[in-house]
Amino acid sequence: MSAPVLEVRGVTRTLTDPEPVTLVRDVSFTVAPGEFVAIMGPSGCGKSSLLYLLGLLDRPTRGAILVDGRPMDDLSEAERTAVRLERIGFVFQFHFLLPELTALANVALPMRRLGRLGPAACEARAEALLAKLGLAAETHRRPDRMSGGQRQRVAIARALANDPAVILGDEPTGNLDSGNTRLVIDEFQRLAHDEGRAVICVTHDASVAAAADRRIHMLDGRIERDGD
């Protein structure tokens, strides 16, 4: 069995201002390459808080998060940002595309930030990713000229820009109709099963949960159930 790409060891996240509240309580699990995992539970149960910890956007109060076997929590913010840029891709409920940029420029942006490819190579990879997602005709359009489903697929292409090992989705189908939801689900399955990426989605959508290989159910900040 492949070594985990992501490990969560006894993670707790507590806020203290204005008064103490624990968002995530003693959570532990691992995710292997090629797994598609759905994180489920009622609103306020800690799903999104956990996802922000997995994405290195927040730090746990206790416990450890490891990416590729490397502990993340003692790294500097610059080091954590570098790991996030190289190894983790994000797809949110609201696509967060920059409205003034074309689809091509939005997808190329993470590559430019990473700085490993020159401008021409960034554009060529962005074009290839958009074409793979059925968006070749939208390459030079801005987000306001695209449908909701097209914008979300551009967001997936952007998440893939730096070839990450982990894709994190926060309600990625929340604003989509059933047809576009199916397209996103199919793409997540392909990314996990064909390309060997770990895909982890916080979702209320039963169709996303049914498509996942494994479902983690949360309640009151804890993992209540973890299984296929």
Side-chain angles (χ1 to χ4, degrees):
M1 184 173 177
S2 300
V5 67
L6 189 65
E7 298 179 64
V8 182
R9 298 179 179 174
V11 161
T12 293
R13 169 70 167 159
T14 300
L15 303 180
T16 57
D17 187 20
E19 57 186 43
V21 57
T22 297
L23 306 175
V24 177
R25 300 171 183 268
D26 194 28
V27 166
S28 299
F29 63 95
T30 64
V31 182
E35 264 196 297
F36 179 9
V37 179
I39 300 177
M40 307 174 67
S43 296
C45 73
K47 304 185 301 298
S48 291
S49 296
L50 175 59
L51 198 78
Y52 280 33
L53 291 167
L54 302 182
L56 311 182
L57 297 169
D58 286 331
R59 291 180 183 263
T61 307
R62 294 193 305 276
I65 292 173
L66 292 80
V67 177
D68 299 322
R70 180 187 180 194
M72 295 287 107
D73 303 300
D74 292 331
L75 300 183
S76 69
E77 283 305 317
E79 290 170 323
R80 286 164 61 88
T81 296
V83 172
R84 191 164 58 239
L85 191 58
E86 293 178 19
R87 303 298 286 160
I88 301 171
F90 294 88
V91 183
F92 297 98
Q93 178 176 357
F94 303 101
H95 51 79
F96 294 127
L97 300 175
L98 295 179
E100 68 274 18
L101 299 183
T102 65
L104 178 71
N106 268 288
V107 175
L109 193 59
M111 292 181 265
R112 292 181 184 276
R113 286 191 62 204
L114 188 60
R116 288 182 176 168
L117 300 176
C122 288
E123 288 198 3
R125 176 164 171 78
E127 284 183 350
L129 287 168
L130 289 166
K132 183 178 284 189
L133 285 158
L135 294 166
E138 316 306 322
T139 299
H140 298 293
R141 289 187 181 174
R142 292 194 302 270
D144 63 353
R145 302 296 302 275
M146 291 183 276
S147 70
Q150 288 170 334
R151 288 192 291 265
Q152 198 64 311
R153 280 183 283 154
V154 174
I156 293 172
R158 181 184 57 188
L160 295 171
N162 290 329
D163 196 25
V166 179
I167 300 292
L168 300 179
D170 191 4
E171 300 284 2
T173 63
N175 284 328
L176 301 181
D177 60 25
S178 60
N180 282 303
T181 291
R182 187 69 249 174
L183 289 174
V184 170
I185 289 171
D186 289 347
E187 184 59 23
F188 283 161
Q189 289 181 317
R190 187 189 69 78
L191 292 172
H193 302 155
D194 297 347
E195 297 191 4
R197 304 179 199 271
V199 178
I200 305 163
C201 281
V202 162
T203 187
H204 283 103
D205 190 324
S207 62
V208 176
D213 306 313
R214 175 177 158 206
R215 285 161 286 282
I216 294 175
H217 295 259
M218 293 187 69
L219 185 65
D220 297 332
R222 301 182 186 275
I223 290 181
E224 182 184 38
R225 191 164 70 255
D226 181 352
D228 57 18

